Amino acid sequence: FPEFDLVLLGIGPDGHTCSLFPNHPLLEERTAWVAPIDDSPKEPPHRITLTLPVVNHARKVAFVASGAGKTSTVRAIVDERNVHLPATHVAPVNGDTYWFLDHAAAKGLSVNKPSEFKL
């Protein structure tokens, strides 16, 4: 698989990322690098996405999320490791994952000492 230096991702309220949705067959794709999705449960219905193996071969993966609407989803991914949420399956094999969250999205996380990042 290709090894990207950085893959930048967001998350949806349903835990989807990179157009990989809960309970979708593309979550099981293990050989393709890129795949079409013609039945997206969210608009637009036709998309193209990197597959999980490609994302997981990146050197760095960064998630960006903001707002109180993402609080429970972020907690389910980061703290609870809910396997039903596609973003939980992002785990670089030889890399690192970073989360960039505002205070609202990070509220209630069990992280002992989150680091501040200010522009």
Side-chain angles (χ1 to χ4, degrees):
F1 293 102
E3 291 185 11
F4 289 100
D5 290 325
L6 173 67
V7 174
L8 180 63
L9 300 172
I11 58 165
D14 60 354
H16 86 270
T17 191
C18 201
S19 294
L20 298 168
F21 292 91
N23 303 312
H24 196 279
L26 279 180
L27 293 171
E28 304 305 319
E29 177 59 53
R30 296 294 178 252
T31 58
W33 293 6
V34 177
I37 178 170
D38 295 318
D39 57 351
S40 169
K42 297 179 108 34
E43 290 292 327
H46 304 285
R47 301 169 177 229
I48 190 166
T49 183
L50 295 175
T51 60
L52 276 173
V54 171
V55 173
N56 285 332
H57 276 84
R59 290 181 183 95
K60 309 283 184 206
V61 174
F63 280 99
V64 178
S66 65
K70 301 287 175 76
T71 305
S72 62
T73 305
V74 169
R75 193 171 334 141
I77 296 164
V78 175
D79 281 345
E80 300 165 15
R81 305 294 303 157
N82 183 329
V83 297
H84 300 291
L85 304 180
T88 303
H89 297 276
V90 174
V93 293
N94 291 312
D96 301 302
T97 303
Y98 299 91
W99 286 84
F100 294 90
L101 307 168
D102 66 1
H103 288 286
K107 187 175 183 177
L109 285 178
S110 65
V111 176
N112 292 333
K113 292 184 178 183
S115 58
E116 291 283 331
F117 178 80
K118 295 181 182 180
L119 294 175

